Amino acid sequence: MRVGRVVVGRGGRESASVGAALLGVLLLAGAAFGSGISRTAVSVSDGLTWLGDDQRGEVVQVNPSSGKPQTRLQISGGDAQLEIAQDDGTLVVLDRRTGQITVIDLSTLLASGRRQASPGASSKVLIAQGRVFVVDRTAGTIHNADPVTLVDIGAPWSAGQPLADVVVDDQGLVWAVDHGGNLHALEWSDDDERFVEKSSRPVPGAGPRTALVPHARGVTLLGLEGGVVLQDGTGQSLSVMTVQFSGDVLAAFTSPTGLVPAAVPDSGVVVLVSGAQVIRVDVAGLGCVKPGRPAVFRDKVYVPCHGAGKVVVLDHSGKRSGDDVMTAGSGDPELVFDDGKLFINTPGASQGVIVDADGTTRSVTVRSPELAVTDPDRQPIPSVPSPPPPRPEELPTGTRGNNPAAVGTTSVAPPTTTTGSVPSADGEPGKPTGVSVSLKSRDASALVVAVSWGAVTSAAGYTVTASGGFTGGSQSAQVAGTGTDLSISCAGSAFCASGRLDVSVAAVGGGATTVSWSVPPAGTTPPPVTTTTTTPPPVVTTTTTPPPPVVTTTTEPPPPVVTTTTTPPPPSLPTAGAAVITTITGGLASYTKTVNMAPPADWASHNGSCEVVNTTYGYSTPIACSATSTTIDADVGLNRIVVRAYPAGGGSPVDSAPKNTNVRDPELCGTKPCQIPRAAPESPAAPMGAGGLGLIATAALLRVGRRRSDSSEEGEVR
């Protein structure tokens, strides 16, 4: 049985709060991970790893051993928030922006089931021992879903209040901590088709921002908001009071019991639970001002540094353990464990980094526009059964019997099977020929190109993929014939003025042909698409009879029949970057902000859908495009708010001009004595778990106000 772990999230929206940090996690068999941002995959034994490409709404299968991408699947539209998991021939993808969960059968690359979950931070998916668990943290429920259809099996479990985090250990035990600080251990019963609660205990100091880290057996609870760290179900006792940390806490998705890391981005700190000690590491002093979610690989702690283009490596004591790993691109790194290697991927970059077991690094290609995109909703290619063998009475004389070829002089050739493409002379599948791209129409919002090609004999269909510097970066279509039109959005880029389009046409089951096409200068008007059919003049036969004179009769042909094909205009969109938001109101400590708007005429009359989006944390609120006021969730720090409009017929959206708002969030130690963590560079003589009157007195000075009052917390819905 393949055993692996996968955890994914978005690099630019790290948070551990119930509203922002508890992003969904997708696990492979025998593992589970907490909420998160940095997409991290762990251990798939076939050496092939799936990564999300949010800009294009695709998932890409990469082979770290060969250093090349293998497959591209179009799961969603552009600007997606994809989280992925792979387990025993199944791929599960959650688009956090829409809340849609899709399961892919990897033997066919077809979608076998879908399920709608809540968009945003509430939903989470866990995979363990062949089971798929769907979590709704706001509702406080856990569902056991069929791994093929995603339909509920049996009864869900309810905590009776919102959940802070849910994970699964390697034994298949589900661990959940609710907003009230109660830690639950749940086991699924196939006989009763329900969750059985194995244990439940209150944890003073735990609350809405508590994170869990699963192990081979049991979990570590990190309630740094209340200054508590403990382990349960691991077979060893650990319970430590520590100083409280303000801001988000990003715990590792999984780790060994004796080495559990977590990052506090706002403080530039990584906290290590190393054995029975808690160690505070000031990674800001190592050039990692905003640490991302750490991971443990080969007894070392890897810490992605957001905004710095590198990964810092620490040992179990918190000291530097080797050179920093530099990453390509401007995005935040993703960490992937695969067949004894650590894969570091940066969203948007074409190159990644492989860290081998000995710590050496090498580059790997993760994205290639030459690789055709596959649609998981396409019609499956029908299999062609072999014809039945001829009956004896149908065989030629002299060929009947057990060995027809040996009787007489006539032999029977084996039946011929027709495939979906025509092999070329060297055995490669057939490729479309004569691929042509031309400008069909253009306006301020989009341009339409016509793509045509020559047929591949017996091909079941074609996949057409266009990629370039337009918003979304890629667009594809499944076509049965030998031509199609592609509408490319002009919003948010200069592509429609001087861009280059790479168009790939691939026969289903065969090869692909790629051509490049440059957008003609602005002002160029494409000729109208006109098909003209002219009726030829009738044939007139003249008969001459002597001696009368020869008479010739000529009949004028009817006027030609002209058929004009009119291309429908592309879907309309309001002006991108328009000033729609006027003000954002709400107190500095408020987690709900009021967005006041004055939409211009083209926004107010837009015939598509609109929503207000917190692009920093991924929250969204649907609105009428003419609305003048609504509310949106916010979280600690700077929040960037926009109004987003979608075309009525589907396609890429446009955003208004953004406005920013802030949330201030003081923390307090609570009523328990606080333990001052020791810094990693200092002497190990004063571990955090030691206690002492001096430490208690110092910790008493660190008390600050709570994140929010009890009344506001009870009324909050995230």
Side-chain angles (χ1 to χ4, degrees):
M1 176 179 179
R2 293 170 47 195
V3 178
R5 303 182 176 95
V6 172
V7 183
V8 294
R10 284 186 62 81
R13 294 189 290 273
E14 298 266 0
S15 177
S17 68
V18 63
L22 297 178
L23 295 181
V25 177
L26 295 163
L27 310 175
L28 289 181
F33 309 81
S35 61
I37 305 307
S38 295
R39 225 175 343 248
T40 304
V42 186
S43 289
V44 284
S45 61
D46 60 2
L48 300 177
T49 301
W50 289 92
L51 301 173
D53 186 344
D54 292 349
Q55 294 177 349
R56 298 172 177 83
E58 301 173 1
V59 291
V60 182
Q61 187 186 54
V62 178
N63 187 336
S65 297
S66 67
K68 296 180 180 179
Q70 304 284 341
T71 307
R72 295 168 64 189
L73 281 179
Q74 188 74 51
I75 297 296
S76 182
D79 194 27
Q81 299 174 21
L82 302 180
E83 301 179 356
I84 63 178
Q86 178 185 352
D87 176 35
D88 290 335
T90 299
L91 174 72
V92 180
V93 183
L94 167 65
D95 185 351
R96 189 158 297 288
R97 188 177 69 82
T98 63
Q100 185 177 76
I101 305 173
T102 304
V103 59
I104 301 293
D105 181 352
L106 291 182
S107 65
T108 62
L109 295 182
L110 293 172
S112 65
R114 282 193 171 88
R115 179 187 182 115
Q116 186 62 44
S118 299
S122 176
S123 300
K124 181 175 182 178
V125 178
L126 310 174
I127 300 180
Q129 298 187 347
R131 297 189 178 97
V132 175
F133 301 120
V134 178
V135 179
D136 187 330
R137 281 176 286 220
T138 299
T141 57
I142 305 174
H143 302 252
N144 183 16
D146 185 276
V148 176
T149 65
L150 294 180
V151 175
D152 269 6
I153 300 175
W157 178 84
S158 175
Q161 60 179 309
L163 293 167
D165 200 7
V166 181
V167 298
V168 180
D169 66 20
D170 287 359
Q171 304 302 312
L173 201 61
V174 180
W175 296 85
V177 59
D178 58 39
H179 279 201
N182 301 298
L183 179 62
H184 309 269
L186 310 171
E187 185 176 54
W188 177 258
S189 170
D190 286 323
D191 294 335
D192 300 329
E193 289 197 335
R194 66 182 182 90
F195 290 95
V196 177
E197 192 159 339
K198 307 298 290 185
S199 67
S200 179
R201 59 179 291 189
V203 181
R209 304 172 73 172
T210 296
L212 301 175
V213 180
H215 309 301
R217 185 185 300 273
V219 294
T220 295
L221 180 147
L222 295 165
L224 300 185
E225 58 187 309
V228 59
V229 174
L230 67 81
Q231 291 184 343
D232 195 0
T234 61
Q236 61 186 37
S237 177
L238 175 65
S239 180
V240 178
M241 292 302 298
T242 182
V243 68
Q244 296 176 344
F245 289 90
S246 62
D248 303 331
V249 178
L250 305 175
F253 292 120
T254 187
S255 77
T257 306
L259 183 58
V260 184
V264 186
D266 291 347
S267 302
V269 167
V270 168
V271 175
L272 300 181
V273 182
S274 182
Q277 299 179 340
V278 180
I279 304 172
R280 177 184 183 274
V281 185
D282 182 11
V283 292
L286 304 178
C288 191
V289 177
K290 189 175 182 180
R293 190 179 305 277
V296 179
F297 177 64
R298 298 290 181 178
D299 296 324
K300 296 182 180 180
V301 177
Y302 287 77
V303 183
C305 302
H306 293 179
K310 67 178 183 179
V311 176
V312 172
V313 187
L314 307 174
D315 63 17
H316 64 89
S317 67
K319 297 180 181 179
R320 207 168 209 154
S321 180
D323 296 334
D324 298 342
V325 181
M326 308 308 294
T327 60
S330 59
D332 296 325
E334 304 170 346
L335 307 178
V336 180
F337 299 102
D338 186 17
D339 282 354
K341 306 176 185 67
L342 175 65
F343 185 101
I344 304 176
N345 176 49
T346 303
S350 60
Q351 296 291 316
V353 177
I354 292 290
V355 183
D356 290 313
D358 60 0
T360 58
T361 61
R362 52 190 172 89
S363 62
V364 59
T365 301
V366 295
R367 289 176 180 85
S368 172
E370 302 299 323
L371 186 62
V373 179
T374 302
D375 181 5
D377 293 317
R378 71 193 185 281
Q379 290 295 324
I381 301 175
S383 59
V384 180
S386 300
R391 292 176 295 179
E393 60 269 20
E394 295 175 346
L395 294 174
T397 303
T399 63
R400 299 173 186 174
N402 293 331
N403 188 4
V407 181
T409 60
T410 304
S411 62
V412 180
T416 301
T417 301
T418 303
T419 62
S421 61
V422 179
S424 59
D426 59 0
E428 292 293 324
K431 298 181 179 180
T433 58
V435 177
S436 173
V437 183
S438 61
L439 180 64
K440 190 168 185 178
S441 67
R442 106 163 94 195
D443 59 20
S445 61
L447 63 81
V448 178
V449 297
V451 185
S452 61
W453 58 89
V456 175
T457 305
S458 301
Y462 305 86
T463 299
V464 182
T465 304
S467 58
F470 52 87
T471 300
S474 179
Q475 185 171 322
S476 64
Q478 300 292 318
V479 183
T482 57
T484 188
D485 293 342
L486 299 176
S487 178
I488 310 297
S489 173
C490 296
S493 72
F495 175 83
C496 293
S498 59
R500 167 180 162 170
L501 196 67
D502 294 321
V503 179
S504 172
V505 181
V508 173
T513 301
T514 301
V515 298
S516 295
W517 177 80
S518 297
V519 177
T524 302
T525 303
V529 180
T530 304
T531 302
T532 303
T533 304
T534 303
T535 304
V539 178
V540 179
T541 303
T542 303
T543 305
T544 303
T545 305
V550 177
V551 179
T552 302
T553 303
T554 303
T555 302
E556 293 294 329
V561 177
V562 179
T563 302
T564 302
T565 302
T566 303
T567 302
S572 62
L573 281 169
T575 305
V580 179
I581 302 174
T582 57
T583 60
I584 300 176
T585 59
L588 279 177
S590 174
Y591 289 82
T592 300
K593 301 293 184 180
T594 299
V595 181
N596 302 299
M597 298 164 284
D602 60 335
W603 279 80
S605 61
H606 178 51
N607 63 349
S609 60
C610 293
E611 62 180 353
V612 173
V613 181
N614 183 333
T615 63
T616 304
Y617 292 102
Y619 307 140
S620 62
T621 302
I623 61 169
C625 294
S626 59
T628 58
S629 179
T630 190
T631 59
I632 187 74
D633 287 343
D635 217 305
V636 179
L638 186 69
N639 294 252
R640 180 180 181 270
I641 312 297
V642 301
V643 179
R644 181 167 293 165
Y646 296 86
S652 300
V654 296
D655 288 353
S656 71
K659 274 194 177 294
N660 296 330
T661 183
N662 279 286
V663 176
R664 183 175 298 166
D665 185 15
E667 294 291 335
L668 104 149
C669 227
T671 60
K672 295 182 177 294
C674 291
Q675 182 190 63
I676 306 300
R678 70 175 177 87
E682 297 175 355
S683 169
M688 285 183 63
L693 294 177
L695 294 179
I696 295 174
T698 303
L701 299 177
L702 300 177
R703 297 180 179 173
V704 293
R706 288 196 61 83
R707 179 182 184 207
R708 61 192 87 169
S709 66
D710 291 340
S711 59
S712 65
E713 186 171 295
E714 290 174 357
E716 180 186 19
V717 178
R718 305 295 286 184

